[in-house]
Amino acid sequence: MKQATRVTGKAGYHHGDLRQQLVTATRELIEEKGPEAFSVSEACRRAGVSTAAPYRHFGDKTDMIAAVILEGMAEMTAALHAAAVPHPHGSVEGISASGVAYVAFAEAHPAVFRLMFAENSGRADVEEAGHTCYSGLLMQVAAYLGKDAVDEEVLAVSFPLWTFVHGLSFLRIDGKAEFARMHMPVADLVSDATRRLLTGR
């Protein structure tokens, strides 16, 4: 999975990569301090550019944060797909592997993961990225059910699968998972839940 590359001063800045340098700096600050403490001027200092530089690519601070969200969504979508690829499409194993990758992404990038599911003012690009990510699960479940398209049954079966791994992700990054005294490895928890939710047992 892609890791953010740390930017340190002007030595890390290249004219052809200004936008990505700023996204990387913004992401680092969000991961270190949270989105509330992030400032455009601090991101500029981290990237080694002037405070006017961001406005060549971003309208405001919100756009810079949205770029981090979109990057995180793209990374998670790629990770879920990569986890499922070794398994037959629509298999319990493939769906489970995607679920394990979901939790792994949350644990590797907790600040970005939280931001991805925070209030984003109904931005169309963020919503579209979220739908793209979720559609991977929908298509796998459709294949599992022997369907060629997503219908109400696919939606009904998929939602509990997502809520399980989503809830587990937050429990783990919040340090609350131990409260339930469930000491099974994440892969086993997700595999067991996936099988039960798909088969009804």
Side-chain angles (χ1 to χ4, degrees):
M1 188 177 297
K2 176 182 173 184
Q3 298 291 330
T5 302
R6 188 174 182 80
V7 180
T8 53
K10 295 183 183 297
Y13 168 63
H14 302 286
H15 287 281
D17 209 337
L18 172 60
R19 186 183 189 281
Q20 185 56 48
Q21 293 284 15
L22 288 165
V23 172
T24 300
T26 300
R27 180 169 178 168
E28 287 178 357
L29 290 167
I30 287 171
E31 290 176 338
E32 292 169 12
K33 302 181 178 183
E36 298 81 8
F38 156 74
S39 71
V40 175
S41 60
E42 192 171 7
C44 291
R45 285 195 297 273
R46 179 68 62 94
V49 300
S50 73
T51 54
Y55 302 103
R56 301 178 197 175
H57 298 280
F58 305 101
D60 54 21
K61 173 181 177 178
T62 302
D63 284 347
M64 294 173 73
I65 293 174
V68 173
I69 295 171
L70 292 170
E71 183 175 83
M73 286 286 191
E75 289 177 13
M76 187 165 73
T77 300
L80 303 192
H81 176 73
V85 163
H87 308 281
H89 184 57
S91 65
V92 174
E93 293 76 15
I95 295 170
S96 176
S98 290
V100 173
Y102 189 101
V103 180
F105 181 89
E107 293 191 289
H109 308 284
V112 174
F113 182 79
R114 292 182 196 280
L115 187 62
M116 285 160 53
F117 295 98
E119 177 58 48
N120 295 306
S121 304
R123 289 183 62 109
D125 52 356
V126 171
E127 289 185 4
E128 182 178 357
H131 287 310
T132 297
C133 187
Y134 190 48
S135 68
L137 172 62
L138 296 179
M139 296 309 295
Q140 286 197 77
V141 171
Y144 171 81
L145 296 173
K147 296 177 179 286
D148 295 324
V150 175
D151 60 13
E152 290 300 318
E153 184 182 9
V154 172
L155 294 173
V157 173
S158 299
F159 188 69
L161 291 165
W162 174 58
T163 57
F164 176 79
V165 294
H166 191 68
L168 179 60
S169 295
F170 273 105
L171 286 171
R172 289 186 64 84
I173 65 178
D174 287 341
K176 305 294 186 182
E178 291 301 311
F179 178 79
R181 299 181 182 178
M182 290 298 293
H183 302 298
M184 294 171 62
V186 168
D188 293 343
L189 280 171
V190 174
S191 178
D192 183 63
T194 301
R195 195 172 299 278
R196 289 173 182 272
L197 289 167
L198 287 173
T199 65
R201 295 192 299 274

